[in-house]
Amino acid sequence: MNRWALGGDLSVARIGYGAMKLTGWPQGDRPSRETALAILRRAVELGVNHIDTSYYYARDGVAANELIREALSPYPADLVIVTKVGALVEGSDVALPAADMTGLTPDGLRRGVEANLRSLGVDRLDVVNLRMGGHDRSETSMAALLTTLLELREEGLIRHLGVSNVTADEFAQARAIAPIVCVQNLYNLSKRDDDPLVDACAAAGIAYVPYFPVGGFQPIKAGHLDAIAARHGATVPQVALAWLLARSPNILAIPGTGSLAHLEENVAAGTLKLSEEDLAQLG
């Protein structure tokens, strides 16, 4: 698979793995524990070395970080685990009113970082994304939040910083405060509002990591998609992933799945080459 130097020093395959679906958080089914562990191990066997997770991906006693630790620790030397902190401190917080969520406070951020360290069983986190919540952003100081994370980085607990669920203006603000190595936002073949931000990140040498790369809870719909998939003998999600990789060299896809078969398909999408005609039809 093609690779990207995340933060300039962490070489990752451009198709990674998002661990959220292993827990069924915040909704939906999840695989058995045995299947979840097998998926993580198989992903690494297939060359995946970028895993996206968070301490708050947890439901009913099943936590993504703990599955990752059980499946993969001691971790391969080249494995990059990207986690996040933000509005939520625990998975159950998702049910709270926005005003009661304490993750976007200095104490909440420290608790989140420490929880990620503890549950993954590491001394330093490779990359921590500051995920902005859906509450009134005017009441939240990005400078204060990033300053807290910079302090934790100075303490040796974090290697690199990223941001998630941000606007273009917030991205610019973040870059003025801290060295940002990645942006994680909603983006896929059907949801392209972030086109300018993808290009801005590429120009700055910053990775853009789309969440819900194959649609998330809503299947992707786009003209010619089925026909293009049939022409390549591929699945629609594979074409959607291949489109992302073709869209810009700084895009790192992190499709999640609770199925070993789908994992194999997702990784195989890294070798699917769309033609100029395909790309023109997809728009």
Side-chain angles (χ1 to χ4, degrees):
M1 286 187 282
N2 292 335
R3 304 183 77 83
W4 177 267
L6 186 57
D9 62 349
L10 299 173
S11 177
V12 296
R14 290 184 63 207
I15 290 189
Y17 178 75
M20 186 177 76
K21 285 192 174 182
L22 295 181
T23 69
W25 183 93
Q27 63 187 47
D29 297 330
R30 60 170 169 257
S32 68
R33 187 174 192 86
E34 293 74 19
T35 298
L37 296 174
I39 287 170
L40 289 163
R41 290 166 180 151
R42 182 58 178 151
V44 170
E45 290 173 357
L46 292 170
V48 170
N49 73 326
H50 169 201
I51 296 179
D52 179 82
T53 185
S54 178
Y55 172 70
Y56 59 73
Y57 290 168
R59 197 184 87 189
D60 302 331
V62 178
N65 284 3
E66 292 169 5
L67 291 170
I68 291 167
R69 183 177 184 176
E70 181 176 345
L72 301 177
S73 181
Y75 298 114
D78 69 336
L79 183 65
V80 175
I81 300 177
V82 178
T83 188
K84 60 183 67 65
V85 293
L88 305 179
V89 176
E90 298 181 0
S92 58
D93 289 355
V94 72
L96 295 175
D100 294 335
M101 295 180 181
T102 61
L104 285 173
T105 64
D107 177 65
L109 293 178
R110 179 173 286 275
R111 288 173 59 201
V113 166
E114 290 175 347
N116 278 308
L117 289 165
R118 183 172 59 252
S119 54
L120 288 168
V122 296
D123 295 324
R124 182 173 68 167
L125 300 170
D126 295 322
V127 183
V128 172
N129 284 322
L130 169 64
R131 191 183 194 285
M132 300 300 289
H135 56 283
D136 184 357
R137 303 284 252 271
S138 66
E139 298 179 1
T140 303
S141 168
M142 179 171 282
L145 300 175
L146 285 173
T147 296
T148 296
L149 293 179
L150 284 170
E151 290 171 355
L152 291 166
R153 193 182 70 157
E154 286 298 311
E155 293 175 26
L157 303 182
I158 298 171
R159 186 168 187 165
H160 292 301
L161 295 176
V163 289
S164 175
N165 195 35
V166 293
T167 65
D169 285 346
E170 287 171 334
F171 168 66
Q173 292 172 32
R175 288 193 68 203
I177 299 163
I180 300 299
V181 305
C182 58
V183 172
Q184 188 180 110
N185 275 9
L186 172 62
Y187 184 78
N188 57 48
L189 187 55
S190 297
K191 301 288 186 181
R192 305 192 199 181
D193 292 347
D194 256 11
D195 269 335
L197 186 50
V198 171
D199 295 335
C201 287
I206 293 171
Y208 185 96
V209 187
Y211 66 79
F212 293 163
V214 296
F217 300 116
Q218 297 179 332
I220 284 179
K221 296 180 181 179
H224 304 288
L225 190 51
D226 290 334
I228 291 170
R231 188 156 64 235
H232 286 276
T235 67
V236 165
Q238 284 179 316
V239 173
L241 289 171
W243 178 85
L244 283 170
L245 298 184
R247 168 62 180 82
S248 186
N250 66 319
I251 287 183
L252 307 179
I254 49 168
T257 181
S259 161
L260 277 165
H262 288 163
L263 170 69
E264 301 264 356
E265 292 176 357
N266 290 342
V267 175
T271 62
L272 176 58
K273 302 300 182 183
L274 300 179
S275 68
E276 292 299 323
E277 178 186 358
D278 295 333
L279 295 171
Q281 288 181 337
L282 292 171

